[in-house]
């Protein structure tokens, strides 16, 4: 029996694949490399000493996806495949709705056809919208401010409706906070195409000399130092959360959302300071204007994941900084 990992060549999917293989699971990865590179597969194998099946397919291609289920005994799916840039989603909403929502619909349809009804879905803290006050709990009202976030919220809703229609499903909706860091070997990590949208790859690219300086988006927020506060989570802790979610869906039926975060908020300036202390490398920055749509503060209440999945984060902000830096400095051009 295998776990199918859609988007397993990506940042979070590759780290989760390593943890699953290390824990003894058989996995099958499906990815179209739209935002990743084939080299990551060699690195996963190198880190784990294990072989796994890989399909270079687009999950929108129903026939190819069907073939994956015909050729393998799939027990459950972890569904990472999706487009993830907020800014790009505003510019290209049709691509985002099509790829993320249609992709999830086709996946759910093919799963149901093969009587595979266990899935872990990559959702996001973005579904908490602009108006909730942190720490955020799973039961708060949800809303979104951009097409990317809307795809996550709509897919959550689609899975809720699938469960209402068929109580044999077992579904975990994982709401990630801000994943950063890399595997501590420095062999796999985040490898964004073009200019990074997220803060940590931007910081590491400044530190490695690829970019001049970091722009900090605003210092007039209502936070302890005026810069935005987020719940940064080490990608390996996040990957381990998926193992716990898989264990849960194997043994139960139902649908549940879980926050995967540390429960601690750090500001952009805290992050820069921790990075400099952890690595000894300076990160020059300028304060620029606020990024439209950004909120002052966003951090999780991770109590539900602890109670129901038996999961909590272990790594510190300094671990995250050290590991991001090791990855970037050992792989200056990415994969
Ligand atoms: P990523 O872009 O590194 O990984 C996604 C992978 O999916 C890529 O390898 C890409 O090639 C693949 N993919 C995309 N569309 C596909 C398709 N139609 N068919 C097959 N493969 C396809 O992103 P990530 O950071 O690893 O994120 C994984 C998931 O987690 C995404 O769904 C993302 O929206 C969600 N998420 C990410 C973050 C974050 O900050 N990184 C936060 C919250 C949620
Ligand atoms: N940020 C920044 N400069 C950048 C990128 C991000 O100051 O180049 C800030 C952003 O305003 C937010 C935090 O860093 O307060 C995290 O942003 P990111 O895009 O990584 O994640 P988000 O929380 O927006 O999903």
């Amino acid at each position: 029996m295998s776990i199918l990992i859609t988007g397993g060549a990506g940042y979070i999917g590759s780290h989760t694949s390593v943890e699953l293989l290390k824990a003894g699971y058989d996995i099958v990865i499906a990815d179209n490399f739209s935002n990743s590179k084939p080299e990551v597969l060699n690195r996963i194998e190198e880190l784990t000493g294990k072989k796994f099946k890989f399909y270079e397919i687009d999950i929108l291609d129903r026939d190819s996806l069907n073939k994956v289920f015909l050729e393998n005994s799939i027990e459950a799916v972890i569904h990472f495949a999706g487009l993830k840039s907020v800014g790009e989603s505003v510019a290209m909403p049709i691509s985002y709705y099509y790829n993320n929502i249609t992709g999830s619909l086709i996946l759910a349809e093919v799963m149901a056809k093969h009587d595979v009804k266990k899935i872990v879905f990559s959702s996001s803290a973005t579904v908490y919208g602009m108006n909730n006050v942190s720490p955020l709990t799973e039961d708060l009202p949800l809303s979104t401010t951009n097409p990317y976030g809307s795809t996550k919220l709509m897919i959550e809703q689609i899975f809720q409706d699938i469960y209402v229609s068929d109580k044999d499903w077992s579904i975990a909706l994982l709401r990630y906070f801000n994943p950063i860091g890399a595997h501590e070997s420095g062999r796999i990590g985040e490898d964004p195409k073009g200019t990074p949208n997220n803060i940590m790859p931007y910081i590491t690219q400044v530190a490695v000399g690829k970019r001049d300086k970091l722009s900090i988006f605003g210092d007039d927020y209502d936070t302890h130092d005026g810069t935005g506060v987020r719940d940064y989570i080490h990608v390996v802790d996040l990957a381990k959360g998926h193992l716990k979610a898989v264990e849960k869906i194997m043994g139960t039926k139902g649908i549940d959302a879980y926050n995967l975060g540390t429960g601690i908020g750090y500001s952009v300036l805290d992050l820069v300071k921790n990075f400099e202390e952890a690595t000894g490398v300076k990160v020059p920055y300028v304060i620029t204007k606020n990024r439209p749509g950004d909120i002052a503060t966003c951090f999780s209440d991770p109590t539900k994941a602890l109670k129901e999945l038996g999961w909590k984060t272990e790594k510190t902000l300094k671990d995250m900084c050290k590991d991001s830096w090791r990855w970037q400095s050992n792989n200056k051009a990415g994969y």
Side-chain angles (χ1 to χ4, degrees):
M1 295 294 254
S2 300
I3 313 272
L4 171 63
I5 307 184
T6 73
Y11 173 46
I12 305 169
S14 57
H15 288 81
T16 303
S17 297
V18 166
E19 295 306 318
L20 285 165
L21 287 167
K22 272 173 41 190
Y25 286 95
D26 288 324
I27 65 167
V28 174
I29 295 182
D31 202 299
N32 65 357
F33 295 130
S34 58
N35 198 37
S36 50
K37 303 219 180 86
E39 172 60 17
V40 71
L41 304 174
N42 300 329
R43 307 274 178 105
I44 295 171
E45 203 174 307
E46 168 199 313
L47 287 174
T48 59
K50 302 237 170 101
K51 296 215 175 290
F52 54 88
K53 264 178 132 175
F54 173 74
Y55 289 83
E56 185 175 347
I57 58 159
D58 192 316
I59 59 163
L60 291 159
D61 175 352
R62 192 183 268 101
D63 292 342
S64 298
L65 192 59
N66 193 44
K67 199 161 160 262
V68 175
F69 283 80
L70 283 174
E71 291 180 357
N72 299 279
S73 174
I74 305 291
E75 195 174 10
V77 177
I78 306 182
H79 178 32
F80 294 105
L83 301 175
K84 65 162 182 178
S85 158
V86 170
E88 198 178 63
S89 79
V90 175
M92 305 164 57
I94 297 173
S95 300
Y96 269 68
Y97 285 113
Y98 187 61
N99 192 74
N100 293 5
I101 294 185
T102 311
S104 299
L105 285 172
I106 291 172
L107 175 64
E109 183 190 295
V110 174
M111 286 176 67
K113 180 173 160 193
H114 292 272
D115 204 28
V116 178
K117 297 184 177 174
K118 298 179 189 306
I119 186 164
V120 175
F121 170 62
S122 298
S123 188
S124 164
T126 190
V127 300
Y128 291 115
M130 307 275 287
N131 300 321
N132 290 310
V133 177
S134 293
L136 300 164
T137 48
E138 289 83 353
D139 51 1
L140 287 168
L142 306 177
S143 64
T144 58
T145 54
N146 57 69
Y148 165 71
S150 299
T151 68
K152 293 294 173 194
L153 186 50
M154 288 179 192
I155 297 165
E156 283 203 9
Q157 188 61 55
I158 288 167
F159 282 120
Q160 295 283 356
D161 290 338
I162 289 174
Y163 178 69
V164 168
S165 76
D166 179 353
K167 300 281 189 310
D168 274 341
W169 280 79
S170 182
I171 302 165
L173 309 170
L174 302 184
R175 296 180 183 153
Y176 311 155
F177 281 69
N178 288 60
I180 60 171
H183 192 267
E184 64 175 10
S185 62
R187 296 296 287 157
I188 57 171
E190 187 170 12
D191 184 19
K193 285 190 176 155
T195 310
N197 298 301
N198 294 111
I199 187 142
M200 185 52 101
Y202 210 103
I203 289 178
T204 57
Q205 291 194 6
V206 170
V208 86
K210 199 166 161 185
R211 300 184 189 276
D212 270 3
K213 52 183 175 307
L214 171 72
S215 296
I216 295 184
F217 299 147
D219 66 351
D220 57 356
Y221 287 107
D222 183 14
T223 62
H224 63 274
D225 60 21
T227 64
V229 165
R230 296 290 182 276
D231 185 342
Y232 297 99
I233 171 171
H234 196 295
V235 67
V236 172
D237 276 336
L238 185 64
K240 289 178 177 165
H242 291 75
L243 259 72
K244 294 292 189 183
V246 165
E247 283 167 23
K248 165 95 197 288
I249 60 166
M250 291 299 190
T252 48
K253 289 175 181 174
I255 178 163
D256 259 294
Y258 297 100
N259 287 339
L260 297 187
T262 63
I264 306 167
Y266 287 105
S267 72
V268 179
L269 285 171
D270 292 334
L271 182 61
V272 170
K273 185 165 166 278
N274 273 273
F275 184 88
E276 291 182 341
E277 286 171 4
T279 64
V281 183
K282 287 299 272 181
V283 180
Y285 65 82
V286 283
I287 306 290
T288 61
K289 59 181 187 336
N290 300 7
R291 184 169 63 179
D294 273 0
I295 53 174
T297 300
C298 173
F299 62 93
S300 66
D301 178 338
T303 311
K304 187 178 175 194
L306 177 60
K307 271 198 193 138
E308 296 185 19
L309 302 179
W311 170 90
K312 67 176 169 48
T313 59
E314 287 167 0
K315 293 181 183 274
T316 64
L317 190 62
K318 286 228 166 65
D319 296 331
M320 305 179 209
C321 293
K322 271 191 201 135
D323 292 341
S324 287
W325 178 235
R326 188 178 302 109
W327 154 252
Q328 178 72 76
S329 47
N330 289 351
N331 304 269
K332 292 199 172 58
Y335 286 109

